[in-house]
Amino acid sequence: MIQNTVWDVSIILMGSVAAIFIGVAAGAPVALENYGPAIASAYRMRVWLFILAAVVLVAVNWRTLGELPYVSASAQGTPGIQRVDAVGEQWSWTISPTHFTVGETAEFHVTSKDVNHDFALYGPDMRIVTQVQAMPGYTNILRYTFKKPGIYRVLCLEYCGIGHTEMMSDIKVAAAKSVTGKTP
Ligand SMILES: [Cu+2]
């Protein structure tokens, strides 16, 4: 797929730029003895601040990137995850299936028949919970685990013509069945 090629090329180019930058920075001598002790210690502290910032950056990305709701084509077909086809067109959504239970994870395969739309899922309180672009000729994969029972609503968030505001579709989410049979 072209996205994977673009990704590989980008990583190689970014890595090359970073390597050149590091090489130049490492080869540039800093004559600390030309400065007073205050400047010299500030310079050393700057090195530690850079290392700290790098560690924080890597740690935060490591912790949070896995929570992105967007799934690559290679990660599809996980057991226990319900595939849902969602197709936008001027001016309606075709979504199947539309009935779920709290705790169930839906994997929306989102695309468009005509122009760009935006698949936006709103919870029962009409707050947006997740969204992804609906693009002609391409399928975006978005996962969401339903947390509350009620009626979820799909709206379009990409202006797509005169009937844009009519693009509404409902998803029904039932309360989770109690495993023990007792009411919680
Ligand atoms: Cu629209």
Side-chain angles (χ1 to χ4, degrees):
M1 215 176 346
I2 191 159
Q3 263 84 5
N4 294 334
T5 313
V6 170
W7 171 252
D8 291 343
V9 169
S10 302
I11 287 292
I12 290 167
L13 289 178
M14 284 189 280
S16 311
V17 170
I20 292 167
F21 185 84
I22 289 167
V24 169
V30 181
L32 283 182
E33 63 274 10
N34 294 346
Y35 300 97
I39 299 285
S41 78
Y43 212 94
R44 276 189 291 272
M45 185 188 276
R46 199 175 77 161
V47 171
W48 284 109
L49 283 176
F50 176 79
I51 292 170
L52 179 70
V55 167
V56 168
L57 181 82
V58 170
V60 168
N61 279 289
W62 191 272
R63 170 72 185 79
T64 56
L65 275 181
E67 291 178 15
L68 272 179
Y70 310 110
V71 181
S72 74
S74 58
Q76 292 175 49
T78 310
I81 291 181
Q82 173 66 51
R83 180 188 165 130
V84 186
D85 289 300
V87 182
E89 63 186 297
Q90 290 168 316
W91 287 279
S92 64
W93 293 107
T94 305
I95 299 169
S96 169
T98 55
H99 286 67
F100 300 91
T101 310
V102 169
E104 205 175 344
T105 299
E107 185 179 275
F108 296 98
H109 290 233
V110 180
T111 189
S112 166
K113 276 188 186 171
D114 38 41
V115 299
N116 264 34
H117 301 278
D118 190 287
F119 176 93
L121 184 65
Y122 287 76
D125 55 1
M126 279 311 283
R127 283 172 190 258
I128 189 168
V129 292
T130 192
Q131 65 84 32
V132 76
Q133 279 280 312
M135 300 148 74
Y138 185 74
T139 301
N140 278 311
I141 303 170
L142 173 73
R143 278 186 190 164
Y144 182 71
T145 303
F146 293 103
K147 295 173 181 72
K148 294 176 191 166
I151 306 289
Y152 286 65
R153 180 154 282 187
V154 176
L155 301 178
C156 178
L157 285 191
E158 182 74 57
Y159 183 70
C160 56
I162 193 80
H164 166 66
T165 53
E166 305 303 313
M167 287 184 69
M168 287 184 221
S169 194
D170 285 351
I171 287 177
K172 294 184 181 66
V173 178
K177 292 174 199 86
S178 174
V179 181
T180 57
K182 290 177 208 151
T183 358

